[in-house]
Amino acid sequence: MLQRPRRNRKSEVIREMVKETHLTASNLILPLIIVEGDNKKVEVASMPGVYRLSIDNLLREVESCLNLGLKAFDLFPNIDEALKDKYATISYHEECLYLRAIRAIKNRFPEACVVTDVAMDPYSSDGHDGVVENGEILNDETLEVLGKMALAHARSGADIIAPSDMMDGRVGYIRNILDSNGFTNVSIMSYCAKYASAFYGPFRDALDSAPKFGDKKTYQMNPANQREALIEATLDEQEGADFLMVKPALGYLDVIKLLNDNTHLPIAAYNVSGEYAMVKAAVQNGWLDERRTITEVLTSIRRAGATAILSYHAKEVLANKWI
Ligand code: PBG
C-alpha cells in the first residue's frame, strides 16, 4: 500500500501539524441577555448556564470574558411587557434598557466589541420582527423603525449592528441612515440567510418574545431552500453589509459553505439557542461528553467556512480551556 492516510494520524504532534481548522477566542462572539433591575441573574430554564443579567451583572460578565480573551458580545434585551407597543417605540428611546446597556459596556470597556441586534420582536406587542397590520408584516413601514433603532444603537456606541429581521432592503436602508449621520465606521453584520427555524424556541422563552400570532415564515427563509440564500447574499453585499450571517448554524453548514464559496465577505454563523439546549440536555442526561461535543460543534461550523461564531458556549470553552 503506497498511501496509508493513518500515518498522518499516528501521534498528537502530527495530528496537530496537519489540522486544517483552528478555533480561537477571536472567532467567538458571546450572546448576552439583559433584563431590568439590580443584581439580577436569572437562569433561562431551557438554556442551562445562560442567564438574564441586569446591567450591573452584565458588566461583571463582560469583564470576566475579557479576562479570558473573549472580546465580542451580541446583546439581546428582555423587555417588560408593559413597555411594548405596535411600533417598538421603546427601542429607540434614550432610556431604553438596551441602549443603557450598550453605553454602560462601552464606557467601562471601550475595547469590548459590542454587536447589537436590530429587529422589532423584543419590543413589539405583536412579537414580530416587523410592523403588523391586519395580520400582515409590512416591509417598508418596518424599515423606518429599524433605521431609528440602528441609529440609536450607533449613538450609544455599538461597534457592529446586526439586523436580524429579514425585511427586504434593510441593509441598504440602515447603511444610508448610519452614513448620513456620520457613522460611516459602524459595521453591519447582516443576518443574511436566516431560516424560519424551530431552534429559536429557547431564545424566545429567554426574551419573552414569541410571536403573539402566526409564525415568521413570510420573512424568514424556508429551511428547505439553499439557492435562495445566494439571492439574499448578493443583495446584502450590494447594500453594504460587512459580514454575512447564516442562522441557525448546525443544520445549515451547507449554506455556510455556499456563501463562503460564492461571496467575498466574512461569514458569521449563529449557533442558536435550540442547538445549545440540545447539547446541554444530552450532557445533563449523561448521553454526550460535554467537552468533546461542544468543541466538535464549534469546529464543524468553522470548517464549513464561518469566520465568526455566535455561540452561548463561547465563554465556557475558554473558561474550561477546551480550545
Ligand atoms: C429575533 C432573533 C431571534 C434570534 C436572534 N434574533 C429569534 C427569532 O427570529 O425569532 C434567535 C437566537 C437564538 O435562538 O439563539 N430577531
Side-chain angles (χ1 to χ4, degrees), residues 31 33 47 74-76 117-122 127-129 162-166 191 194-204 207 209-211 216 219-220 245 247-248 270-276 310 312:
I33 301 162
M47 300 177 75
D74 191 5
L75 307 181
F76 296 97
D117 191 76
V118 168
M120 287 176 61
D121 53 334
H128 274 285
D129 294 24
S164 68
D165 55 285
M166 290 301 277
Y191 284 65
K194 177 173 180 179
Y195 288 85
S197 172
F199 288 90
Y200 308 147
F203 172 93
R204 292 180 190 168
L207 266 63
S209 65
K216 298 192 175 186
Y219 42 107
Q220 298 179 347
M245 193 199 297
K247 176 185 178 178
Y270 201 137
N271 176 214
V272 298
S273 58
E275 298 175 288
Y276 176 90
L310 298 101
Y312 303 93

Side-chain angles (χ1 to χ4, degrees), residues 49-275:
V50 172
Y51 301 86
R52 300 184 185 116
L53 301 170
S54 51
I55 292 180
D56 47 359
N57 282 332
L58 173 77
L59 293 176
R60 289 189 189 100
E61 182 66 2
V62 167
E63 183 167 34
S64 91
C65 289
L66 290 173
N67 290 333
L68 293 167
L70 177 55
K71 295 177 182 158
F73 308 91
D74 191 5
L75 307 181
F76 296 97
N78 175 294
I79 300 289
D80 189 346
E81 199 63 35
L83 295 173
K84 299 181 184 180
D85 66 20
K86 226 175 142 39
Y87 298 97
T89 17
I90 188 70
S91 65
Y92 47 88
H93 189 282
E94 187 73 1
E95 279 312 303
C96 175
L97 167 70
Y98 195 74
L99 303 180
R100 280 185 278 128
I102 304 170
R103 293 195 294 263
I105 296 180
K106 291 304 291 187
N107 277 339
R108 180 88 174 274
F109 308 108
E111 73 277 26
C113 175
V114 173
V115 182
T116 63
D117 191 76
V118 168
M120 287 176 61
D121 53 334
Y123 318 92
S124 151
S125 46
D126 294 305
H128 274 285
D129 294 24
V131 175
V132 179
E133 215 162 275
N134 302 324
E136 220 183 288
I137 317 301
L138 305 180
N139 195 90
D140 299 8
E141 290 74 358
T142 300
L143 296 184
E144 287 178 34
V145 180
L146 301 177
K148 289 180 189 163
M149 209 185 290
L151 184 57
H153 293 184
R155 287 191 171 128
S156 304
D159 297 280
I160 301 178
I161 284 175
S164 68
D165 55 285
M166 290 301 277
M167 294 303 124
D168 292 334
R170 91 275 206 218
V171 171
Y173 190 92
I174 291 171
R175 185 71 271 162
N176 187 33
I177 289 208
L178 292 177
D179 289 354
S180 51
N181 283 278
F183 293 107
T184 50
N185 285 331
V186 172
S187 317
I188 297 180
M189 178 183 281
S190 160
Y191 284 65
C192 167
K194 177 173 180 179
Y195 288 85
S197 172
F199 288 90
Y200 308 147
F203 172 93
R204 292 180 190 168
D205 292 343
L207 266 63
D208 293 317
S209 65
K212 300 282 163 54
F213 69 90
D215 53 41
K216 298 192 175 186
K217 290 181 186 168
T218 67
Y219 42 107
Q220 298 179 347
M221 286 175 58
N222 186 338
N225 292 358
Q226 186 197 51
R227 296 174 64 251
E228 191 183 349
L230 289 172
I231 301 177
E232 291 285 356
T234 306
L235 288 171
D236 289 358
E237 215 168 16
Q238 285 168 353
E239 290 176 33
D242 301 287
F243 293 82
L244 301 177
M245 193 199 297
V246 175
K247 176 185 178 178
L250 265 193
Y252 300 83
L253 297 178
D254 58 328
V255 181
I256 296 174
K257 174 149 173 57
L258 183 75
L259 295 199
N260 195 42
D261 289 347
N262 289 286
T263 69
H264 297 135
L265 291 173
I267 307 299
Y270 201 137
N271 176 214
V272 298
S273 58
E275 298 175 288

